[in-house]
Amino acid sequence: MIFFTSISDVLLYLAFSYMIGCIVLGFVPANRKPRFQDSRKLQLISVAGIALFSLAPVIELVVFLNNGQGVFSTFFRVLMDFRIGNGWVLTLLFCILLGLTVFYSGSVHMRAYYTGILVLIVGFFSHVSTLNLWAGFFSHSIHFLSMSLWIGVLLHIAWLAHDGSNWKSFTAWFTPFAIACLAALFISGIIIMLFFVNPADYAKSWVLPYGQMLLLKHLTIVPILAAALINGFLNKKGVYERVWLKVEFLLILLVFALTAFMSKQAPPHDINDTFRSEGMAPFVELLKGPQYIPIDGALAFSLNGALLIAIGLMCLGLMVLGYKKQLPPWLSLLFGLVFVGAVYAGLMLNTVF
């Protein structure tokens, strides 16, 4: 069930991103963006995807609660009596309104209005908002919207643009736009993390599945920033290089997957209690052997760990150097993934619990 709900989350992120990317580019004049086909069919599919994929946690709860009373009766009980069910009812309602707006070629302002409400619904019914209603609501909404704005435009330009026309005028506004989205992502992401992980327990949390996903997510952000640097600043000729945009997109997609799987794990509010109920992460046992309560987290230098971190940093440098030397972009993508794996393994070997 975790795999099912996690994949549904990834597809939900993509559906939102496609719709929001359409809306953002709908506000941009034609002479300030590459040519691409604004497909009403794909927009309707994305709206249907938002309604469908946001149903996954409801299905998960129905499966958990069903005790022989019947699936449909349990389903309607979840919709009426549980917060997660109420959230999906609202999502379905505004998806219908958004779908009708798209079908009848409504204005981009109306599409933005209904999509904005859907983003706020995601934030209001998020896990973090159950811990602190308003701070969790605002931080999660900003985080989700910033992510969708950035990846939504990137998705269209990397995969759906016909050519690189108006590329320089596009990057003139998209580069600061992406930087603003990144800044909002980092600030809101740190706020959200503080609800789940005490900063002093960050290294300790690596013994748990949640902490492992969080660490891998943070490491993956580094090659994403390198790819963004290449696309935004190192492209001195100002030419349209679709494949490098795809590299950036695929790395962000990996972060989507890590975020989705992380959200299904038990947060480490108390490391030792979570360890008792959830056990350790599989890779920790493979790299460090069995661990026991009380859990601590401290750096302990090891030659193998230091060498792996050094290899990871070299790969990060090769990722950028590969662009300058005009190596195949997919090789730089590989270097970015090796950076994540090598630094992750190095940190694990250099940490004692």
Side-chain angles (χ1 to χ4, degrees), residues 6 24 57 63 65 89 92 106 108 118 120 125 138 143 145 163 234 261 289 300 305 309 322 340 346:
S6 298
V24 171
V63 171
L65 294 176
V89 170
L92 179 62
V108 68
L118 285 168
L120 294 178
F125 290 97
F138 284 118
H143 194 72
L145 178 61
D163 53 42
L234 297 185
F261 279 94
I309 293 173
V340 174

Side-chain angles (χ1 to χ4, degrees), residues 20 83 303 329:
I20 290 175
R83 194 169 185 266
L303 180 59

Side-chain angles (χ1 to χ4, degrees), residues 178-344:
I179 291 172
C181 289
L182 273 170
L185 272 169
F186 280 128
I187 294 170
S188 57
I190 290 171
I191 293 172
I192 292 171
M193 186 185 77
L194 293 177
F195 283 109
F196 296 106
V197 183
N198 188 318
D201 292 337
Y202 180 63
K204 295 180 185 178
S205 72
W206 297 349
V207 77
L208 302 170
Y210 185 99
Q212 289 279 289
M213 294 293 105
L214 184 62
L215 173 60
L216 286 168
K217 177 182 176 180
H218 288 164
L219 290 175
T220 307
I221 290 171
V222 178
I224 289 175
L225 293 177
L229 174 69
I230 290 168
N231 285 318
F233 297 100
L234 297 185
N235 185 359
K236 300 295 185 183
K237 296 179 181 179
V239 295
Y240 178 56
E241 296 185 289
R242 182 195 295 266
V243 70
W244 276 101
L245 296 171
K246 290 181 178 179
V247 167
E248 185 177 345
F249 176 85
L250 290 174
L251 287 169
I252 297 172
L253 194 61
L254 177 58
V255 171
F256 278 7
L258 292 170
T259 303
F261 279 94
M262 182 182 73
S263 67
K264 309 308 173 189
Q265 309 297 328
H269 299 297
D270 184 291
I271 303 295
N272 291 319
D273 285 347
T274 308
F275 184 86
R276 288 189 189 96
S277 60
E278 299 294 317
M280 75 174 68
F283 284 121
V284 174
E285 186 167 8
L286 179 66
L287 292 170
K288 303 294 294 181
Q291 303 297 314
Y292 305 97
I293 293 174
I295 299 296
D296 196 3
L299 292 177
F301 176 83
S302 72
L303 180 59
N304 289 338
L307 287 174
L308 282 168
I309 293 173
I311 289 170
L313 294 174
M314 286 174 56
C315 286
L316 186 65
L318 287 172
M319 183 180 176
V320 178
L321 184 64
Y323 174 80
K324 291 188 174 183
K325 297 297 183 181
Q326 297 184 331
L327 297 177
W330 304 116
L331 189 59
S332 286
L333 174 61
L334 178 62
F335 285 143
L337 296 176
V338 172
F339 162 82
V340 174
V343 174
Y344 161 77

Side-chain angles (χ1 to χ4, degrees), residues 11-37:
L11 295 173
L12 177 65
Y13 302 155
L14 288 174
F16 262 107
S17 297
Y18 179 83
M19 193 66 218
I20 290 175
C22 275
I23 292 168
V24 171
L25 292 170
F27 284 107
V28 178
N31 64 345
R32 302 200 66 187
K33 61 186 176 184
R35 292 188 305 111
F36 72 96
Q37 186 175 358

